[in-house]
Amino acid sequence: MNSTERYNFKIIEKKWQERWQNLKVFQAKVDHSKEKFYCLEMFPYPSGKIHMGHVRNYTIGDVLSRYKSLKGFNVMHPMGWDAFGMPAENAARENNLDPKDWTNKNISTMKNQLKRLGLSIDWDREISTCSEEYYKHQQLFFLELYEKGLVYRKENYVNWDPVDQTVLANEQVIDGKGWRSGAIVERKKLNQWFFNISKFSQDLLDGLDELNQWPNKVKIMQKNWIGKSFGCEIAFKTEGDLPVNEIKCFTTRPDTLFGFSFLALSVDHEISKYFNEDKRFQEFKKECSKTGTTEEAIAIGEKIGFKTNLMAINPLNPNQKVPVFFANFVLMDYGFGAVFGCPAHDQRDFDFARKYNLEIKTVVKPNGENDNFKVKDEAYSGPGELINSEFLNNLKVPDESIIKTIEILEKKKIGKKKINFRLKDWGVSRQRYWGCPIPMAYDNNGKVKAIPKEKLPIILPENVDLNSKGNPLDSKDDWKNIIIDGKKYVRETDTLDTFVCSSWYYLRFCSPRNNEYGYKKEDIDYWMPVDQYIGGVEHAILHLLYSRFFMKALGYKNETFKFNEPFKGLFTQGMVCHETYKDQDNNWLSPDEVELIGGQYHKKSEPNKKVNVGPSESMSKSKKNVIDPENIINNYGADAVRLFILSDSPPEKDVQWSEQGMVASYKFLQKLWTLHNKIKDKIKKNAKSNNENLNLEKFTNQMINKITNNLENFNYNVIIANIYEIYNFFNKEIDKNLNSKTIEENYKKILLLFSPAIPHFASECLEDLGFKSEILWPKINLDLLKEDKVDYIVQINGKKRLILNESRDINQENLLEKIKLNKLLDKYLNNKSIVKIIFVKNRLINLLINE
RNA sequence: GGGCGAGUGGCGGAAUUGGUAGACGCGUUGGUCUUAGGAACCAAUAGUGCAAGCUGUGAAGGUUCGAGUCCUUUCUCGCCUACCA
């Protein structure tokens, strides 16, 4: 390219993208002579076009992959498609298309868009979860887990839309109504398939400790989700008009048993069956399901109860009998669906007791209170000592009191020590068409039959009627009815939750074309685990926990599978945000519909109409505050977009999209190109000079050090600042009388430092200077890193008064001599005595003097 | 209610983990060049003061020769979570 021309990203980016593709530069192969690095970003859902979130996610991963390659690692950086899911079904229904066609079209569009970002992806490993080549292995995994006893079927409540005849996910229920039909959602019991993830609760919890390259935040979220609690199960004897003589409860506070004043049951507790005919109870139950839909209602939710005629007996004090209620705040799926109420030391129980005038007996006093302490306006759940508890009195709350009480209960055979987990089994059945078919069938008695492995894959039928009520597979009789070994069966028509697909895709990338099985042992033994996984924090719990479960499930009863955790390192990037705009009629406006005139936004189409600017929020179609990456790439090029998306904020935090910032990045590349040509001319001159070269070498070396450190620590925004610093320095320094050879050597290193962030630009410059192969990350010269002169901060009584540039490693005495020679300090030091000197080598000296 | 995190110029953000606060960019101001510029280049830019200086990292204390960084209290904001017994 002619050096007077502007930097033409259109030509140059295309050229390099084609070259990378043709030479298969990013193709990953098992090579035991090299250390591997598996870099993975969360694969996208093919929704139509890529968005800025993708741009950010994949740019971050690409910077890392390219850096690791230059560092000499054997990098695998694959990409695929999380291609099953409801949007395809909905879009297909609306546009009268086939979900498969819709999905594949989107994949092809998005793949081209990703390629235009210049990502270093091994496209030969591309996978799509909706292809039979992928999901057939998933069906086999399902059968394997079934054989291992990790899959089972049970009845479970679901959100049922009576109009659409379909099951709704929680987020599809809005104010108790179906998002599409608007019908009031019912709770319905359905038979569904479950993965026994709770079997691994303790393992999943323990595994978190090993994950020292995961954000703490995510580990805490998972820990809370798994929700281990230590306590005791107690069987309460009951008396009353029902054929019930015992109710089990789980409690973490058995020590407060003497404060017992009621027993509360979930409305779904098995005892509720005795109230099926009781109208008042049925009404109460309805009332309970009304509250508790919205989050706020739960937060301030009133406690309501339904009193039974049962009385529960305090096992430590058989004379005490308390009423048994059904209560809206008791959850059926935690513990036993029953709690013992101790109002004095639990706020919920306190509220409930107040409402129903139940006894509030204080059994814990805070430290420093006397035995007459009484709980008044709120429950006391802090530490202290037991009181009013007979033989438990004076035990220290919480540790001693809980352990001792459990011992006593166990001795009396009233209770048992118990560890309880909040984590529930994973319901994987979805009454949907566009998903992986579950390889199960039922005979005409409804008995389960696993499809024989040799009959796999079960291919999702095409040409289904998506407008039928309920699951379209249900009405596909020719697919549904099958014969195995001469016997008639009906297929399972539910499909798998799409989270199943994404729970093992990282394994598939290791052996994407292996036909026999989901992975090949040699491949995963080399590539796994994923060294760096990058994606949004919104998957902190479900996707990441399910993936971790999958590894444990595959390794269960399988000694050849040696992995415990899928992702060694995790990085969660922030979102891309943009200001929001609304017109006077409160309609959202997109950024292209508005323009800024004299500090005020106006509507482009109607310039006399003012626009209200809202806060910057995560880009979303509904608020119209989206910027289409494709337009941006067309206008400014991939490198400029990469530069901008990395520059403005640390990658783990949200970033504000800014048109000005984007333009600045574009202009910067133009300036950098001008500088490149200037440098190239200087190199060509072949000048020999020994005068001022050292500065350049030192600076380059410092930058290698800085950028390397910043790359290692994900400080990608600082790397961009470093690139600007390099520009500023070289742009000045290049005018000096420098040796051409020195310029060439150092500039080459600089270009390598540029290449993870702006690969097309750096490649072009390197080639322009005739550098071809041997591209490896530049080494740091530690000797050059040491300056022979150092700025010493001179403090008087802790205040900075002077900076002295003196030789490195100078000792305290010599530095003090120099200080005394400096007239600027006379006014501080004359006629004063130095009481103490703090000397930090090569940093500072602090003189403490008498004032 | 519980958990986690963050508060630094007009803005986004740096600060080798206790040692020159404000790197780098945006914006702003002034200048150069140009028919013109919303282009390019140069310079300035925390506040205050003519200046030496003084004051400054949400607020108040503390530890230290020295604190944006550590400790205590407190305020504000963001995110996650939700009646988990």
Side-chain angles (χ1 to χ4, degrees):
Chain A
M1 178 177 266
N2 189 309
S3 54
T4 53
E5 273 178 45
R6 283 164 71 79
Y7 178 71
N8 190 331
F9 71 82
K10 284 192 177 157
I11 295 171
I12 292 170
E13 291 184 352
K14 189 157 179 267
K15 165 182 153 185
W16 286 99
Q17 284 163 20
E18 281 171 1
R19 191 176 299 180
W20 291 330
Q21 180 167 328
N22 294 339
L23 298 177
K24 294 200 180 284
V25 174
F26 308 119
Q27 192 177 55
K29 284 190 180 139
V30 171
D31 176 355
H32 290 277
S33 71
K34 279 172 128 185
E35 198 177 338
K36 64 96 184 181
F37 189 88
Y38 184 176
C39 178
L40 183 67
E41 300 102 18
M42 291 179 184
F43 65 163
Y45 178 79
S47 54
K49 299 171 104 183
I50 63 165
H51 54 69
M52 278 302 170
H54 293 129
V55 173
R56 195 173 193 207
N57 192 179
Y58 302 135
T59 300
I60 292 168
D62 198 53
V63 169
L64 181 65
S65 295
R66 287 176 179 272
Y67 166 64
K68 289 289 179 184
S69 293
L70 286 167
K71 273 287 215 181
F73 286 89
N74 186 23
V75 172
M76 172 158 82
H77 185 204
M79 182 60 71
W81 309 96
D82 188 12
F84 271 137
M86 275 202 312
E89 222 168 307
N90 295 334
R93 191 182 295 118
E94 276 157 26
N95 306 313
N96 208 17
L97 293 166
D98 189 289
K100 191 178 192 174
D101 296 340
W102 182 85
T103 305
N104 287 335
K105 190 172 147 271
N106 290 345
I107 288 175
S108 124
T109 308
M110 290 172 74
K111 185 175 172 182
N112 283 328
Q113 291 183 311
L114 291 181
K115 283 188 171 176
R116 289 196 58 201
L117 273 173
L119 304 175
S120 60
I121 285 167
D122 179 0
W123 284 106
D124 289 350
R125 289 180 185 264
E126 180 181 4
I127 57 174
S128 168
T129 59
C130 72
S131 83
E132 172 199 328
E133 284 308 305
Y134 184 85
Y135 69 70
K136 68 178 185 186
H137 303 294
Q138 188 163 311
Q139 291 171 342
L140 185 57
F141 284 145
F142 185 97
L143 292 176
E144 283 182 8
L145 298 198
Y146 181 68
E147 283 167 4
K148 291 180 188 178
L150 296 176
V151 178
Y152 65 95
R153 211 160 106 96
K154 99 176 167 189
E155 272 207 324
N156 195 45
Y157 281 107
V158 293
N159 302 310
W160 180 255
D161 185 321
V163 172
D164 281 357
Q165 295 276 303
T166 187
V167 173
L168 299 175
N170 282 333
E171 59 271 22
Q172 294 171 322
V173 182
I174 299 157
D175 293 332
K177 290 174 186 160
W179 67 311
R180 188 181 287 279
S181 69
I184 292 175
V185 171
E186 296 169 0
R187 289 181 80 209
K188 190 177 166 180
K189 263 192 172 174
L190 271 190
N191 257 314
Q192 303 202 275
W193 288 101
F194 283 82
F195 282 174
N196 188 199
I197 183 170
S198 65
K199 182 187 180 77
F200 299 95
S201 295
Q202 189 64 51
D203 286 345
L204 288 165
L205 194 62
D206 294 343
L208 292 173
D209 293 336
E210 296 166 33
L211 299 173
N212 51 20
Q213 291 177 50
W214 276 42
N216 223 9
K217 181 172 69 171
V218 174
K219 287 197 276 185
I220 289 167
M221 281 162 78
Q222 292 214 351
K223 194 177 162 198
N224 292 340
W225 190 258
I226 295 166
K228 181 179 181 176
S229 52
F230 171 79
C232 176
E233 86 175 61
I234 303 174
F236 289 84
K237 295 266 180 282
T238 55
E239 293 175 353
D241 56 0
L242 297 175
V244 175
N245 43 34
E246 195 180 273
I247 296 173
K248 272 187 185 171
C249 293
F250 172 75
T251 177
T252 55
R253 294 299 304 275
D255 55 333
T256 60
L257 210 42
F258 280 97
F260 186 35
S261 84
F262 64 92
L263 201 147
L265 306 172
S266 159
V267 288
D268 295 318
H269 194 275
E270 61 163 353
I271 287 176
S272 72
K273 68 185 175 201
Y274 301 114
F275 295 86
N276 280 343
E277 308 301 316
D278 186 329
K279 273 188 193 154
R280 277 175 49 241
F281 178 75
Q282 293 307 328
E283 236 158 71
F284 171 76
K285 202 170 159 180
K286 220 183 255 174
E287 190 67 23
C288 289
S289 65
K290 258 190 222 162
T291 59
T293 44
T294 67
E295 287 182 10
E296 239 184 326
I298 293 167
I300 51 165
E302 209 191 357
K303 312 276 177 284
I304 51 173
F306 180 91
K307 195 164 178 286
T308 69
N309 292 326
L310 283 179
M311 295 298 276
I313 299 162
N314 187 339
L316 292 182
N317 177 12
N319 298 325
Q320 189 197 10
K321 294 175 186 174
V322 303
V324 175
F325 286 82
F326 287 101
N328 64 338
F329 63 90
V330 184
L331 303 171
M332 190 55 225
D333 48 18
Y334 186 79
F336 298 96
V339 292
F340 97 79
C342 173
H345 307 289
D346 180 291
Q347 192 56 42
R348 283 173 321 222
D349 297 349
F350 186 90
D351 297 342
F352 191 80
R354 271 281 166 91
K355 172 143 184 171
Y356 293 98
N357 281 320
L358 302 166
E359 193 194 3
I360 299 176
K361 184 180 164 195
T362 303
V363 292
V364 179
K365 61 164 187 177
N367 294 319
E369 293 280 348
N370 68 33
D371 285 2
N372 295 324
F373 172 78
K374 281 222 159 43
V375 159
K376 280 193 199 115
D377 301 319
E378 57 177 11
Y380 178 74
S381 56
E385 235 174 67
L386 288 182
I387 52 173
N388 305 322
S389 297
E390 301 183 15
F391 49 90
L392 297 179
N393 278 343
N394 303 324
L395 289 176
K396 293 263 177 298
V397 176
D399 296 344
E400 186 192 35
S401 62
I402 294 174
I403 291 167
K404 280 273 162 62
T405 311
I406 293 176
E407 276 172 19
I408 292 169
L409 291 170
E410 282 190 325
K411 234 175 245 168
K412 298 192 172 193
K413 302 213 186 309
I414 301 162
K416 262 199 299 210
K417 183 160 83 184
K418 181 161 185 194
I419 285 163
N420 208 19
F421 290 95
R422 203 190 83 117
L423 182 65
K424 285 175 269 173
D425 279 341
W426 174 16
V428 294
S429 296
R430 294 293 180 276
Q431 292 67 37
R432 303 273 165 221
Y433 163 69
W434 192 233
C436 170
I438 296 175
M440 289 288 173
Y442 307 93
D443 68 12
N444 41 22
N445 298 319
K447 201 173 157 246
V448 172
K449 165 86 180 168
I451 303 281
K453 288 177 184 172
E454 61 276 11
K455 300 237 176 200
L456 296 183
I458 296 156
I459 296 169
L460 200 56
E462 296 189 15
N463 305 318
V464 297
D465 177 12
L466 291 172
N467 289 311
S468 62
K469 296 262 183 225
N471 182 351
L473 290 177
D474 236 355
S475 43
K476 192 80 179 161
D477 289 341
D478 53 340
W479 179 82
K480 206 165 91 171
N481 297 311
I482 49 168
I483 291 172
I484 303 171
D485 299 335
K487 208 176 147 192
K488 279 186 182 173
Y489 290 92
V490 178
R491 278 195 200 285
E492 169 65 70
T493 56
D494 286 353
T495 50
L496 286 172
D497 180 5
T498 56
F499 273 120
V500 178
C501 306
S502 54
S503 290
W504 67 280
Y505 77 111
Y506 49 88
L507 287 174
R508 187 65 187 161
F509 276 134
C510 300
S511 322
R513 306 290 168 251
N514 189 43
N515 211 22
E516 285 75 51
Y517 197 62
Y519 59 82
K520 217 183 201 165
K521 185 171 156 46
E522 306 97 271
D523 291 336
I524 63 167
D525 282 351
Y526 179 73
W527 290 113
M528 285 297 288
V530 173
D531 293 279
Q532 186 65 57
Y533 195 37
I534 306 168
V537 74
E538 65 273 19
H539 293 112
I541 298 173
L542 297 183
H543 163 58
L544 290 169
L545 196 65
Y546 293 155
S547 297
R548 296 182 58 221
F549 157 72
F550 229 84
M551 293 294 271
K552 294 181 196 304
L554 289 177
Y556 182 66
K557 297 186 182 171
N558 176 2
E559 284 177 6
T560 64
F561 191 89
K562 59 179 193 184
F563 300 100
N564 236 336
E565 291 290 338
F567 313 121
K568 191 171 154 210
L570 174 70
F571 187 88
T572 53
Q573 99 270 4
M575 294 179 296
V576 184
C577 301
H578 197 286
E579 276 178 334
T580 46
Y581 307 105
K582 272 185 174 181
D583 66 13
Q584 305 288 306
D585 307 320
N586 230 18
N587 299 312
W588 298 105
L589 296 172
S590 78
D592 347 312
E593 289 176 289
V594 303
E595 83 191 305
L596 186 63
I597 309 166
Q600 168 71 47
Y601 279 97
H602 296 265
K603 218 167 159 176
K604 270 186 192 164
S605 53
E606 298 161 89
N608 54 337
K609 291 211 171 161
K610 286 187 178 176
V611 169
N612 296 323
V613 180
S616 184
E617 293 181 66
S618 166
M619 287 188 182
S620 78
K621 278 182 194 160
S622 62
K623 286 173 187 151
K624 283 195 166 186
N625 61 338
V626 287
I627 301 288
D628 183 354
E630 187 157 357
N631 293 338
I632 300 291
I633 296 172
N634 285 340
N635 291 339
Y636 304 107
D639 279 344
V641 179
R642 294 167 63 114
L643 196 60
F644 172 70
I645 205 84
L646 293 171
S647 69
D648 259 22
S649 292
E652 70 275 14
K653 294 214 314 198
D654 288 354
V655 63
Q656 311 297 322
W657 182 265
S658 133
E659 187 71 23
Q660 275 167 338
M662 186 57 246
V663 172
S665 295
Y666 171 76
K667 286 182 184 170
F668 176 69
L669 284 181
Q670 295 296 346
K671 283 162 65 171
L672 210 52
W673 180 247
T674 310
L675 174 65
H676 166 77
N677 285 303
K678 215 160 138 187
I679 291 172
K680 191 176 152 192
D681 287 346
K682 284 271 184 178
I683 293 173
K684 277 188 181 162
K685 265 190 189 158
N686 211 5
K688 299 222 171 17
S689 162
N690 296 318
N691 293 337
E692 302 177 278
N693 298 317
L694 196 59
N695 263 347
L696 185 70
E697 290 180 48
K698 277 185 182 169
F699 175 83
T700 303
N701 207 43
Q702 261 173 30
M703 278 302 158
I704 298 171
N705 187 37
K706 278 191 185 176
I707 291 187
T708 306
N709 286 333
N710 286 327
L711 278 164
E712 293 288 345
N713 296 310
F714 277 106
N715 299 328
Y716 291 177
N717 56 325
V718 189
I719 288 168
I720 306 306
N722 295 147
I723 293 178
Y724 276 95
E725 277 181 83
I726 290 171
Y727 171 84
N728 292 338
F729 180 87
F730 265 74
N731 203 31
K732 282 212 172 71
E733 198 70 10
I734 200 70
D735 292 330
K736 291 186 180 168
N737 186 15
L738 299 170
N739 191 1
S740 290
K741 196 80 198 152
T742 313
I743 302 176
E744 185 173 353
E745 277 169 8
N746 288 285
Y747 182 54
K748 182 188 166 190
K749 291 179 186 170
I750 292 293
L751 288 174
L752 288 168
L753 298 181
F754 286 177
S755 62
I758 43 174
H760 310 86
F761 184 91
S763 302
E764 181 68 15
C765 293
L766 280 165
E767 190 187 57
D768 193 36
L769 292 174
F771 299 119
K772 287 268 155 64
S773 51
E774 28 93 50
I775 33 170
L776 276 181
W777 196 247
K779 291 215 164 59
I780 300 168
N781 179 342
L782 288 173
D783 293 332
L784 264 186
L785 215 51
K786 289 183 190 160
E787 292 281 353
D788 21 295
K789 287 266 186 169
V790 174
D791 280 342
Y792 288 86
I793 299 143
V794 182
Q795 295 182 338
I796 311 281
N797 284 345
K799 286 211 168 193
K800 181 184 79 177
R801 293 300 177 190
L802 189 69
I803 296 168
L804 275 185
N805 193 258
E806 289 300 335
S807 33
R808 161 175 287 275
D809 296 338
I810 191 171
N811 65 22
Q812 180 180 320
E813 287 70 32
N814 292 339
L815 185 61
L816 201 56
E817 283 305 308
K818 304 269 185 189
I819 287 168
K820 283 177 176 164
L821 289 175
N822 194 302
K823 291 204 172 83
L824 283 172
L825 290 174
D826 285 355
K827 64 173 174 179
Y828 297 107
L829 296 177
N830 278 352
N831 307 320
K832 306 274 167 61
S833 59
I834 297 173
V835 182
K836 193 180 174 188
I837 297 173
I838 290 109
F839 177 71
V840 184
K841 200 178 164 193
N842 293 327
R843 272 258 154 82
L844 68 82
I845 184 161
N846 187 3
L847 308 177
L848 303 187
I849 59 169
N850 276 326
E851 287 293 347

